[in-house]
Amino acid sequence: MKITLFQILLILAILMIYLFVRRSTFRSFYRVFILVALMAGVVAVLVPELTTKVAQMVGIGRGTDLVVYIFMVAVFLKMLTTDEKVNSQQEQITKLVRKNAIDSARKCDGTNIEK
């Protein structure tokens, strides 16, 4: 098996992502999921025929199509979870700003003066 320059570059990129994930503060389930995906990526880069064999086992013609489909599902899941997280943070910020505004207004009109 001959390894090409592009395969080496892809594996180096995957290694850089691994180092980032290893130093990150991701939850452990998410971290394990990413590490498994990275290992699968290295295998797919080194043995590209394997993705085609796996794709054909599940009824998809080409390995590239399988990788694209899996990637699409992963991206949509990430988009949904990120959107949910952003909405939750926006609600928390709104509640904090309202509470701060009410507290400031009470201090200004003298209804909550500390003795």
Side-chain angles (χ1 to χ4, degrees):
M1 171 174 63
K2 181 182 174 192
I3 297 179
T4 66
L5 176 63
F6 191 70
Q7 287 174 312
I8 292 170
L9 293 174
L10 284 172
I11 291 172
L12 287 175
I14 290 171
L15 178 62
M16 290 174 66
I17 295 169
Y18 166 76
L19 293 174
F20 172 77
V21 169
R22 193 165 174 224
R23 296 183 62 211
S24 71
T25 58
F26 293 134
R27 292 177 289 189
S28 41
F29 171 77
Y30 190 62
R31 185 182 296 172
V32 168
F33 180 77
I34 291 173
L35 294 177
V36 168
L38 290 175
M39 288 188 303
V42 170
V43 171
V45 167
L46 291 175
V47 191
E49 308 85 38
L50 186 61
T51 58
T52 299
K53 289 179 184 176
V54 172
Q56 289 173 347
M57 286 172 39
V58 296
I60 298 172
R62 298 182 310 168
T64 304
D65 294 339
L66 175 66
V67 171
V68 168
Y69 299 153
I70 291 171
F71 181 74
M72 285 175 32
V73 169
V75 166
F76 287 131
L77 284 173
K78 183 61 180 167
M79 284 173 39
L80 290 172
T81 57
T82 300
D83 186 55
E84 186 67 31
K85 193 178 293 186
V86 167
N87 288 339
S88 172
Q89 289 174 346
Q90 286 176 339
E91 287 177 20
Q92 289 176 343
I93 290 170
T94 300
K95 288 177 184 177
L96 287 171
V97 168
R98 283 181 185 156
K99 182 181 180 320
N100 189 24
I102 291 170
D103 290 346
S104 293
R106 285 185 179 152
K107 286 180 184 177
C108 288
D109 71 5
T111 57
N112 194 16
I113 299 175
E114 297 178 23
K115 296 182 181 180

